[in-house]
Amino acid sequence: MSVTAVSEAVNDPARLRTVAAIDFDHPGLRAALDLISRRTAEHTGLPVSLATVVMNTAQLIAGSSGIAGTWLAESGGTPIEWSFCVQTVATGRPYVVRESRTDPVQARNPLSTMGVVPSYAGVPVFVDGQVVGAHCLVGGAAHTFTDADLSALEEGARDIAQVLLRHLDAG
């Protein structure tokens, strides 16, 4: 997908209104998303699972498992230019990278070159018909993601969507 197409999809006003309506300050939101992320990581045996929300300039890590104590956890997200999840959001489809350092799209991504994201699989999270983010897995090395991994992500993405819907400002 071209940079322009990704930018247009991410900057869609209806999508951004949905993202902006989510109450990220609610005290129970992160705990619920962390729990879903932990369940997905445990089910797949992979070290990292995230619930992300992609804004127009940054990616928020709204829930996580496996990143505690890292700079990624401390920062709470990444610039949009570093986001693997932006591909999932832009296409509305699963996005899989077996080995990021050799992937034509991700090889120059700082998260690849620093070894933070050696492999990635993400599926879209839909809220009110809009792709607001992704539920993803990060492998500790190059990894071939299985259908079972993707099924676990899809189940988690549906649960994440339900949590986000409960925290959507109706006004």
Side-chain angles (χ1 to χ4, degrees):
M1 181 170 231
S2 74
V3 172
T4 301
V6 168
S7 178
E8 287 175 4
V10 168
N11 287 297
D12 176 70
R15 192 189 81 76
L16 291 173
R17 277 192 297 278
T18 302
V19 169
I22 300 169
D23 180 7
F24 292 107
D25 293 325
H26 190 281
L29 178 63
R30 176 164 296 277
L33 297 178
D34 286 349
L35 181 65
I36 295 165
S37 296
R38 185 170 47 255
R39 184 188 71 211
T40 301
E42 289 171 355
H43 182 77
T44 62
L46 288 160
V48 174
S49 177
L50 306 172
T52 66
V53 175
V54 175
M55 298 173 200
N56 59 335
T57 60
Q59 169 181 269
L60 170 70
I61 298 172
S64 66
S65 177
I67 64 169
T70 68
W71 68 265
L72 193 55
E74 293 298 319
S75 69
T78 67
I80 193 89
E81 296 84 4
W82 295 16
S83 172
F84 282 60
C85 296
V86 73
Q87 298 294 326
T88 302
V89 169
T91 64
R93 295 189 310 263
Y95 180 64
V96 176
V97 177
R98 184 187 177 288
E99 186 172 0
S100 67
R101 288 185 182 195
T102 60
D103 183 79
V105 175
Q106 301 299 337
R108 298 182 74 191
N109 183 323
L111 295 177
S112 298
T113 61
M114 291 186 292
V116 176
V117 179
S119 57
Y120 169 95
V123 299
V125 173
F126 290 90
V127 173
D128 272 1
Q130 301 295 325
V131 183
V132 298
H135 185 35
C136 63
L137 290 164
V138 175
H143 183 77
T144 300
F145 294 91
T146 66
D147 288 343
D149 294 335
L150 294 176
S151 291
L153 280 172
E154 289 168 354
E155 178 183 336
R158 287 188 296 273
D159 293 343
I160 289 165
Q162 291 304 309
V163 169
L164 293 176
L165 275 169
R166 288 194 302 269
H167 293 87
L168 199 62
D169 178 18

